[in-house]
Amino acid sequence: ANCRGPISGGIDVIQASLSLRDCRLVGNSGRSGGALHCEYGSLTVKRCVVEANSSTLYPPGGLDLGNGCTALVESCLVTRNSNGGISFSDGRTTVIRRCDISGNAGEAVGYSGGGGANAAAENNWWGAASGPWHPSLNPDGQGDTVSDWVDFDPWLASSALDDADG
């Protein structure tokens, strides 16, 4: 870890498929997706730690699931990333489940497209039993912030990783 790159500081997936399991993406910095950037590819990330990454130009500091990226993020810890934890764009399938997503600066899960693509982000722990904060869909949520186009309900009332079997 502790890498710096032209797009992502960690891993760039461009027109390719990648499956990551049981890895640590920690302390990376890049223009977009400090830990990982995906475009026009397929990505599976399971049982990984995405922590303390940063982006210098575009969100997020963690995982950038950009143009044409189909992604599954499952049973991961996404925490302490600057400029956001995970972002996604139009026209692809984004599934985020059984993850602990908390302590991120900016949006924990954010939408960077023009409208119309939802991320299936149900059954995650957002750092509070009241769920993630969203200005209209969950204004009483005390967990990390989510943007529009994120399906976060139902959420978990405690850590997803305590009993994760991945």
Side-chain angles (χ1 to χ4, degrees), residues 1-108:
N2 294 319
C3 300
R4 294 186 191 283
I7 298 176
S8 169
I11 300 169
D12 288 318
V13 180
I14 312 293
Q15 296 180 340
S17 294
L18 178 66
S19 181
L20 296 173
R21 289 184 186 354
D22 302 306
C23 66
R24 296 179 52 81
L25 299 168
V26 179
N28 300 290
S29 179
R31 269 187 328 134
S32 180
L36 186 144
H37 172 80
C38 177
E39 278 188 59
Y40 303 105
S42 175
L43 178 67
T44 300
V45 182
K46 289 188 175 185
R47 297 183 310 269
C48 292
V49 174
V50 180
E51 181 176 9
N53 299 287
S54 62
S55 60
T56 58
L57 188 57
Y58 302 109
L63 304 176
D64 179 14
L65 312 176
N67 297 326
C69 182
T70 299
L72 168 64
V73 181
E74 184 173 57
S75 301
C76 292
L77 173 63
V78 180
T79 188
R80 299 186 324 111
N81 296 289
S82 72
N83 212 9
I86 301 171
S87 74
F88 65 100
S89 299
D90 281 334
R92 52 237 83 350
T93 302
T94 302
V95 177
I96 304 162
R97 62 181 175 218
R98 293 191 305 275
C99 293
D100 279 15
I101 307 170
S102 65
N104 296 287
E107 293 176 335

Side-chain angles (χ1 to χ4, degrees), residues 136-157:
S136 60
L137 299 175
N138 196 27
D140 295 327
Q142 304 213 348
D144 273 20
T145 300
V146 294
S147 74
D148 290 337
W149 310 104
V150 178
D151 294 329
F152 58 83
D153 190 359
W155 58 81
L156 299 177

